[in-house]
Amino acid sequence: MQNTIRLLVGVLLTASVTGCVAIPDHAPGKQLIHLVPSLIGKDSGALVESLGQPHDEVWVNDTKHVTWRYLQLFLGECRLSTANKGGRVVGVHWSGPLTGCHYLESKIKKLSLNN
């Protein structure tokens, strides 16, 4: 518990002084940084199958950009956006709270194992 409080105080102090935050390697949110790039090259249909229908879909030239949003209780929103071309994921971006996006993380882990 003390480690968590120290970590939180350190993050808040760093953010207030520098304007940016470095996520430590053991933080829950750090796992998505490593998981999300594994989606590149995956079948975009499998991603829809795993995560459900996206909340937004926009076509730019011949690339479809889709976004999924998941509310984290009291912590904000987790968001995953992908660029899809020819049925494959060609680009990804995620955002969310420092505590991680556990639902999104579990869905991506399952997809990585099955695809």
Side-chain angles (χ1 to χ4, degrees), residues 48 52-60 63-69 82 84:
V48 170
Q53 288 299 315
H55 294 94
D56 298 311
E57 291 185 19
V58 176
W59 282 91
V60 178
T63 304
K64 182 164 88 169
H65 298 267
V66 297
T67 303
W68 289 269
R69 292 188 197 102
T82 64
N84 307 305

Side-chain angles (χ1 to χ4, degrees), residues 22-78:
I23 302 171
D25 285 335
H26 61 275
K30 192 76 165 191
Q31 290 186 19
L32 273 176
I33 291 171
H34 301 294
L35 283 174
V36 168
S38 72
L39 294 175
I40 294 179
K42 298 279 187 204
D43 176 27
S44 58
L47 191 58
V48 170
E49 216 173 276
S50 179
L51 297 174
Q53 288 299 315
H55 294 94
D56 298 311
E57 291 185 19
V58 176
W59 282 91
V60 178
N61 297 326
D62 59 346
T63 304
K64 182 164 88 169
H65 298 267
V66 297
T67 303
W68 289 269
R69 292 188 197 102
Y70 302 99
L71 291 178
Q72 293 287 106
L73 192 60
F74 304 115
L75 296 174
E77 178 181 74
C78 291

Side-chain angles (χ1 to χ4, degrees), residues 1 5 7-8 10 37 48-49 51 57 71 79 84 86 88 90 95 103 106 108:
M1 181 67 172
I5 292 171
L7 174 65
L8 188 56
V48 170
E49 216 173 276
L51 297 174
E57 291 185 19
L71 291 178
R79 186 179 290 198
N84 307 305
R88 296 278 173 203
V90 294
S95 63
Y103 178 78
S106 69
I108 292 173

Side-chain angles (χ1 to χ4, degrees), residues 94-107:
W94 79 274
S95 63
L98 290 177
T99 56
C101 300
H102 304 290
Y103 178 78
L104 186 57
E105 185 178 304
S106 69
K107 291 293 189 178

